[in-house]
Amino acid sequence: GAVVSQHPSWVICKSGTSVKIECRSLDFQATTMFWYRQFPKQSLMLMATSNEGSKATYEQGVEKDKFLINHASLTLSTLTVTSAHPEDSSFYICSARLQGARGSPLHFGNGTRLTVT
Amino acid sequence: GQQLNQSPQSMFIQEGEDVSMNCTSSSIFNTWLWYKQDPGEGPVLLIALYKAGELTSNGRLTAQFGITRKDSFLNISASIPSDVGIYFCAGQLKNNNDMRFGAGTRLTVKP
């Protein structure tokens, strides 16, 4: 149980275009989902907390207009990288926690490797 | 944000050897977790710890939640080649909904 599916697993786009990444909790409901970014050989950096039915909470230094987050249902959160640039190339990972289970472990998707050319 | 100091940064060991890694922090955490990440994939939960002093095993893996709530260690016994990967500790603060991660320990196991 507690499976998180992330799509696509990889994407290549041209500079200036926008890319949408989906994160789905397949067998549980998640009021809150989290979006991380990971550079090669580095740890996961929290970008934002996605809250179902309300605005996302962004970490300091993360541009909310650049990284648009929508959490329209209890099983789906999307991250849109707008006007992508080569420096946005990275590994993006989402995670989710069982609804109402504060303190329970996060379950991660398999990540999306974004390459901006 | 609250920082987790994970060490060692990397380890090169022979198959069959035991491995130990740890995380420390200046902050008190409510929950400690250990994840393993294979290349190009998301982290997978290995062990979750919820109480200070708790010692939990998962097969060849053993992890402990430090008494001070500021540290945790992970031991892997009798390592095998598939143990290769990056191991992350993660801590959750009390009354906080997100997790903070250590920098990771990159484990290489030589057959």
Side-chain angles (χ1 to χ4, degrees):
Chain A
V3 176
V4 177
S5 174
Q6 197 171 332
H7 179 81
S9 55
W10 60 270
V11 57
I12 302 172
C13 70
K14 290 186 176 179
S15 189
T17 61
S18 295
V19 174
K20 181 186 283 189
I21 303 170
E22 292 185 349
C23 180
R24 292 180 186 273
S25 55
L26 296 186
D27 52 358
F28 67 101
Q29 294 184 329
T31 309
T32 306
M33 292 184 176
F34 304 91
W35 287 96
Y36 293 83
R37 183 173 181 176
Q38 186 179 33
F39 290 107
K41 298 187 179 182
Q42 293 190 21
S43 187
L44 293 83
M45 297 297 297
L46 180 66
M47 298 175 65
T49 302
S50 170
N51 303 297
E52 187 267 336
S54 64
K55 290 183 180 179
T57 305
Y58 289 82
E59 294 298 300
Q60 192 173 8
V62 178
E63 300 175 57
K64 61 180 181 180
D65 295 330
K66 171 82 173 169
F67 298 99
L68 299 178
I69 290 174
N70 185 281
H71 194 152
S73 77
L74 286 172
T75 59
L76 173 64
S77 174
T78 60
L79 168 68
T80 302
V81 183
T82 63
S83 187
H85 290 284
E87 57 264 32
D88 297 326
S89 298
S90 189
F91 194 53
Y92 293 87
I93 311 174
C94 70
S95 69
R97 175 180 286 128
L98 279 162
Q99 182 187 16
R102 197 177 183 90
S104 69
L106 290 177
H107 299 278
F108 288 86
N110 262 340
T112 297
R113 180 158 304 284
L114 171 63
T115 302
V116 184
T117 60
Chain B
Q2 290 72 21
Q3 195 127 9
L4 296 186
N5 302 306
Q6 185 171 349
S7 65
Q9 192 174 20
S10 61
M11 299 183 75
F12 296 83
I13 62 170
Q14 207 72 35
E15 183 177 359
E17 290 182 355
D18 297 342
V19 172
S20 185
M21 58 193 80
N22 69 84
C23 271
T24 61
S25 174
S26 58
S27 300
I28 292 175
F29 283 91
N30 209 39
T31 306
W32 279 97
L33 303 163
W34 286 93
Y35 289 87
K36 182 191 177 198
Q37 185 179 28
D38 291 326
E41 297 185 14
V44 174
L45 180 67
L46 298 175
I47 293 180
L49 303 159
Y50 299 102
K51 295 180 183 177
E54 180 180 353
L55 182 71
T56 298
S57 293
N58 178 7
R60 294 178 295 107
L61 278 60
T62 302
Q64 184 159 32
F65 192 150
I67 287 289
T68 64
R69 307 181 77 93
K70 295 182 179 181
D71 63 305
S72 176
F73 72 74
L74 174 71
N75 287 342
I76 305 173
S77 62
S79 59
I80 59 178
S82 61
D83 290 334
V84 166
I86 305 176
Y87 292 79
F88 290 102
C89 64
Q92 178 173 295
L93 297 166
K94 198 172 183 181
N95 299 323
N96 199 335
N97 203 19
D98 70 278
M99 300 265 175
R100 300 291 167 171
F101 287 82
T105 296
R106 185 178 295 272
L107 178 64
T108 302
V109 180
K110 301 177 210 172

